[in-house]
Amino acid sequence: MEIGIAVGDVRGAVDAQGLLDQAKQADAAGIGTVWAAQGVGWDSLVALAAVGLHFPGLRLGAGVVPVPQRHPLVLAGQALSVQAVTGNRLTLGVGAGISALTKRMFGHTHDRPARRMREYLEVLLPLLRGESVDHRGETVTASGRVGVPGAEPPDVLLAALGPVMLRVAGELTSGTVTWMTGVRTLTEHIVPTITTVNPRARVVAGLLTCVTDDETGVRARVAEQFALAGQVPEYRAMLDREGAAHPGDVVVVGDESTVVRHLDRIRDAGVTDFFAVPYGSAGEQLRTLALLAG
């Protein structure tokens, strides 16, 4: 199982130097991959381009870019631009976005997300290969091509939690990215569903991770800080599958031996890539990084 580290504002508000400092810590520790999530702060692809230019040994993962607000021609140009400036080290994770945010923030329709993602990918993937598209479909219209010299098509993953979206991920992409999804759900639902379609699918699992002597306190802080995420229908469904009351129940937390056992269970579930989001005080985050590097 490949272990990567999140950088950027998924770990809290951070300026440009802070972003690079996080990447520098990962690079110095021997962590091979950094991941950037798309929230309401840093643009994940811009952040990864900046990191990639400063740290040529790091692999880069976007986990994930919601697509409703990015036309496939636009996203293809952005992703290929990152490839060109970083020497083709990007894994591009995409997703349908959280329904409530997509509607409220951007005014976009969010019905039939799996159908929309299938059609979006049927346009995006040829564009990433440098092919021309002329598509006038049910949910996407696109005509043109994107050419960035030196850029190769990135590996594409699809954020998927439900069975229909997991089948789309298995059929059209290299795998899936999950967030706030516990070991039981990974073992019994995510991995078997996607590998039935694509036995070689990558499964990237993102979770808050904290090496600490105060496991109870950390779980309580996560439960409070991420309470709203625990009410979002998409994540609530995964927490219910897990038998978890709130996001604090699925965080990877404890002392070194406890966290190692948790990581072993994630690996044994069939996860190929673990996307750790260091959580806690500065000291706890450094302690977490040291364990993950080891």
Side-chain angles (χ1 to χ4, degrees), residues 255-268:
D255 61 16
E256 281 79 0
S257 61
T258 301
V259 169
V260 167
R261 288 196 297 271
H262 198 151
L263 293 175
D264 285 345
R265 291 171 60 214
I266 291 171
R267 177 203 60 208
D268 293 344

Side-chain angles (χ1 to χ4, degrees), residues 96-237:
I98 299 300
S99 59
L101 296 180
T102 298
K103 292 176 183 176
R104 186 173 73 246
M105 293 179 67
F106 299 101
H108 289 309
T109 301
H110 199 269
D111 64 312
R112 300 170 299 156
R115 176 70 190 93
R116 290 178 179 276
M117 278 305 317
R118 179 180 290 277
E119 189 172 357
Y120 188 100
L121 288 166
E122 288 170 348
V123 175
L124 176 67
L125 296 175
L127 289 170
L128 292 173
R129 296 192 294 266
E131 300 171 11
S132 295
V133 300
D134 187 11
H135 181 92
R136 289 166 177 79
E138 183 181 358
T139 65
V140 177
T141 297
S143 182
R145 66 178 296 273
V146 177
V148 181
E152 298 175 1
D155 205 23
V156 176
L157 306 173
L158 174 60
L161 298 173
V164 178
M165 195 73 84
L166 282 164
R167 286 196 292 272
V168 174
E171 290 174 18
L172 298 183
T173 74
S174 297
T176 190
V177 185
T178 68
W179 172 244
M180 210 178 293
T181 302
V183 176
R184 181 167 132 195
T185 304
L186 290 164
T187 303
E188 299 177 0
H189 170 58
I190 300 291
V191 173
T193 302
I194 193 169
T195 55
T196 297
V197 180
N198 177 5
R200 299 198 300 173
R202 288 177 66 183
V203 177
V204 182
L207 286 167
L208 294 166
T209 306
C210 182
V211 178
T212 181
D213 295 321
D214 182 21
E215 178 177 343
T216 301
V218 168
R219 289 191 187 278
R221 291 198 299 275
V222 170
E224 180 179 2
Q225 185 178 348
F226 291 86
L228 184 60
Q231 298 170 23
V232 169
E234 293 90 338
Y235 297 139
R236 184 67 258 166

Side-chain angles (χ1 to χ4, degrees), residues 37-93:
Q38 182 67 48
V40 294
W42 276 93
D43 181 274
S44 59
L45 293 175
V46 172
L48 291 171
V51 167
L53 284 170
H54 283 82
F55 302 99
L58 289 174
R59 295 180 294 277
L60 312 167
V64 298
V65 179
V67 304
Q69 60 268 36
R70 303 199 196 201
H71 189 277
L73 279 162
V74 173
L75 181 55
Q78 292 170 325
L80 291 174
S81 296
V82 175
Q83 285 288 73
V85 300
T86 63
N88 298 303
R89 287 178 277 144
L90 175 68
T91 292
L92 176 62

